[in-house]
Amino acid sequence: MPALITHHIFGEDILSELPRGLVEGEEELLAFLLGNQGPDPLFARFSTLPSRAATCRELAHKIQSGHITRSMLALRDGVAHLPRADERVGRAFALGLLGHYALDRSAHPFVIAQQRALCDVDPSLAGLEREVHAIIESDVDTWILWEKRHATICERPSATNLMRTARTERVAGALLSQVALGVFGVAIDAREYAAAVRDYEWLYRLVEPTGSARARLAALAERALRGTSLTTASAHYVRRSDECPAANLERHVWVHPFTGERRTDSFADLFDEARLAYPALAEAFARGGETRLRELVAGLDFAGRPEADD
């Protein structure tokens, strides 16, 4: 999957693809952009009991791995049952989450293919697949920030991509809690999502900028506990260059990890593929047509794995 900067920029770009008036005002914009982070913040939940953190991670994994159409329809139903004052914020968040799905399913096979190729070439990377995956995502993040916004994390720190209001947190948490129970049978407190976003934000503030004293201390502590540092792998460095080998701008051949198809897409190609696919997904979601939505989902989960819908 792409990481938080790429998802945020994708959200900014696809906002113009929505019909006028569908997302209006600062709070709805924040809800839409937060929705574009998808379930990823749930993976970062740590400042709670281990059992609650595990439930958050379980839910994030389940959302990404299947029942895509059912989840989207449950999300839409949840928006319809919100108090009227919260409905527009809820709809903006849901449309944003759909954007996260659109980009993930296009780009995730590419990232996995790069990860596997690197691990195959260098035997010393065995067992470090998660860290390699995170480094690729971080590299693409800093490249797309420079390529599309001509900025670095000095001007746009990663944590600023998680701006939100108390209502945005509350409404998003309520919607995800309903989807969790109704679709996946996972009981989760509606307040856990807001806490997960705060944890996600705190982690990025801790480890960035790369090389700072607190980032080094965090890496030492994590290595002492786990032997490796996933947070260090996820951290962003300052990039002021249009070059990025991880983005495959020269369009070298890569192999789709789930179909075996040989492809030459760059990350920029896949970003545009997702951007062009989003309006039809958003329209089908807004209209509530299950048949059309299922057709557009095409059986793909967030990882781009086929035959994962139901």
Side-chain angles (χ1 to χ4, degrees):
M1 65 192 75
L4 81 168
I5 293 175
T6 302
H7 277 299
H8 185 89
I9 290 176
F10 184 76
E12 291 177 334
D13 284 6
I14 62 173
L15 188 63
S16 62
E17 308 290 340
L18 293 173
R20 185 182 298 274
L22 200 58
V23 174
E24 290 185 324
E26 183 177 2
E27 190 169 38
E28 292 177 26
L29 172 61
L30 292 178
F32 179 76
L33 293 175
L34 184 62
N36 267 277
Q37 297 302 329
D40 289 359
L42 293 169
F43 284 116
R45 186 74 171 110
F46 73 91
S47 63
T48 186
L49 295 173
S51 59
R52 291 182 181 175
T55 298
C56 288
R57 291 192 294 270
E58 176 192 5
L59 175 59
H61 178 74
K62 286 181 178 293
I63 289 173
Q64 290 182 341
S65 302
H67 302 318
I68 306 303
T69 302
R70 284 177 57 194
S71 296
M72 295 302 174
L73 292 174
L75 195 61
R76 184 181 182 278
D77 184 62
V79 171
H81 287 88
L82 288 170
R84 184 173 295 275
D86 295 335
E87 188 174 340
R88 289 187 61 91
V89 168
R91 182 176 63 189
F93 176 79
L95 287 167
L97 198 148
L98 192 65
H100 182 97
Y101 165 70
L103 183 56
D104 257 15
R105 73 173 189 180
S106 289
H108 205 184
F110 170 80
V111 176
I112 294 174
Q114 295 240 41
Q115 166 205 312
R116 291 182 178 178
L118 287 170
C119 291
D120 286 345
V121 168
D122 188 348
S124 70
L125 296 176
L128 297 174
E129 289 81 7
R130 291 177 65 201
E131 287 77 9
V132 172
H133 193 104
I135 289 171
I136 294 168
E137 291 178 347
S138 174
D139 201 31
V140 170
D141 255 13
T142 56
W143 167 73
I144 208 161
L145 179 59
W146 181 257
E147 194 272 338
K148 283 189 167 286
R149 301 294 183 264
H150 214 66
T152 73
I153 60 165
C154 295
E155 296 82 36
R156 289 182 54 160
S158 303
T160 61
N161 294 306
L162 298 170
M163 294 178 65
R164 60 212 181 272
T165 66
R167 176 161 62 169
T168 300
E169 291 181 331
R170 174 173 52 79
V171 172
L175 291 173
L176 289 177
S177 180
Q178 178 173 321
V179 171
L181 187 60
V183 178
F184 301 105
V186 175
I188 186 170
D189 192 301
R191 293 169 293 187
E192 285 295 327
Y193 175 74
V197 176
R198 289 194 292 272
D199 283 352
Y200 200 36
E201 180 183 45
W202 186 87
L203 284 172
Y204 272 103
R205 291 193 187 281
L206 176 68
V207 301
E208 293 185 348
T210 300
S212 66
R214 65 176 182 272
R216 290 196 298 269
L217 286 172
L220 286 172
E222 189 178 9
R223 287 192 182 100
L225 290 171
R226 300 181 59 247
T228 61
S229 179
L230 183 60
T231 53
T232 299
S234 302
H236 299 94
Y237 59 89
V238 175
R239 178 197 292 274
R240 293 186 177 91
S241 171
D242 293 321
E243 297 181 3
C244 181
N248 193 33
L249 301 178
E250 295 181 354
R251 294 184 172 83
H252 298 297
V253 174
W254 54 277
V255 180
H256 194 293
F258 306 121
T259 67
E261 178 188 5
R262 293 171 63 82
R263 301 182 61 167
T264 58
D265 312 74
S266 68
F267 189 88
D269 296 330
L270 298 169
F271 187 99
D272 287 341
E273 175 185 281
R275 182 179 56 80
L276 293 172
Y278 177 75
L281 281 166
E283 181 181 7
F285 173 82
R287 292 182 181 277
E290 179 176 354
T291 301
R292 178 57 175 160
L293 186 59
R294 192 175 297 280
E295 175 187 335
L296 292 169
V297 167
L300 301 175
D301 67 2
F302 279 69
R305 185 182 292 104
E307 299 180 10
D309 202 11
D310 64 342

